[in-house]
Amino acid sequence: SVVELSTLSLSGLLGDATYFFRAASLNRAGAPNFGVTVSSFLPLNLGVDITTDAISFPGLVPMGGSVIITTSTLVSNVGNVPETFRLRVTTVTPGSLWAPAAAAALDRFTAWAVVNSTQPNDGDFAVEDKLGDAFLNCGASALNMGGDQACVTVQPGDSRTLWIKLALPTSTTNAGPQQIRVLAESVRAP
């Protein structure tokens, strides 16, 4: 007897689905003799991975100034279904008075984010791309500069390149170092 395949590995299966399998042996004439059909449910697994959650400044930026972070960050779908990403920004410096806001002010900074494979220009960041304390869902325009990437319905295993623009507070009551964190999560894409 000749066994041509003793193990079968499947990839690319989506979660929240039941898969049915059956195997057959072939007789000498090549006719199949099927065994019992078995099923297996693959549970839903949502997951997102961000290569870094700390923003590094490319140099000294004065209060009231703005900068596009030139180090790209990858956001990846590590789940097993298509996902839409959500982003928010916060400070993690203990005792800091800094907080995200719609416009830079005393101890208030503004952060924008877009996805694209190449570095965006200053004008590529729009009002709908502003991050805050609450998660902002990627959408047709939000976090999407109209380039070659979008963060809606990201397939399992796919990544998006995230770019951040930051406007520093106009002035601050805390002259110490500040740590700003970008957080990502995912929701199941329809």
Side-chain angles (χ1 to χ4, degrees), residues 97-146:
L97 297 176
W98 282 33
L106 174 67
D107 291 326
R108 299 294 178 258
F109 65 91
T110 304
W112 298 259
V114 294
V115 295
N116 198 52
S117 66
T118 59
Q119 183 176 335
N121 296 314
D122 189 61
D124 292 324
F125 295 90
V127 171
E128 58 268 13
D129 303 323
K130 285 185 181 179
L131 301 178
D133 286 328
F135 278 102
L136 173 64
N137 290 334
C138 290
S141 59
L143 309 173
N144 179 2
M145 63 178 261

Side-chain angles (χ1 to χ4, degrees), residues 5-145:
L5 185 64
S6 62
T7 302
L8 176 64
S9 296
L10 300 174
S11 62
L13 300 179
L14 297 179
D16 198 24
T18 300
Y19 294 92
F20 296 89
F21 303 93
R22 71 180 188 165
S25 60
L26 299 177
N27 65 19
R28 289 184 183 193
N33 180 20
F34 286 99
V36 176
T37 300
V38 296
S39 65
S40 180
F41 178 75
L42 184 59
L44 172 69
N45 179 21
L46 290 174
V48 63
D49 181 53
I50 190 166
T51 55
T52 183
D53 62 0
I55 297 172
S56 298
F57 287 97
L60 186 61
V61 179
M63 288 283 112
S66 67
V67 63
I68 296 174
I69 308 303
T70 57
T71 304
S72 62
T73 299
L74 288 180
V75 181
S76 303
N77 177 350
V78 295
N80 62 5
V81 293
E83 299 176 352
T84 295
F85 296 146
R86 301 165 43 142
L87 300 173
R88 74 182 187 100
V89 66
T90 186
T91 54
V92 292
T93 306
S96 175
L97 297 176
W98 282 33
L106 174 67
D107 291 326
R108 299 294 178 258
F109 65 91
T110 304
W112 298 259
V114 294
V115 295
N116 198 52
S117 66
T118 59
Q119 183 176 335
N121 296 314
D122 189 61
D124 292 324
F125 295 90
V127 171
E128 58 268 13
D129 303 323
K130 285 185 181 179
L131 301 178
D133 286 328
F135 278 102
L136 173 64
N137 290 334
C138 290
S141 59
L143 309 173
N144 179 2
M145 63 178 261

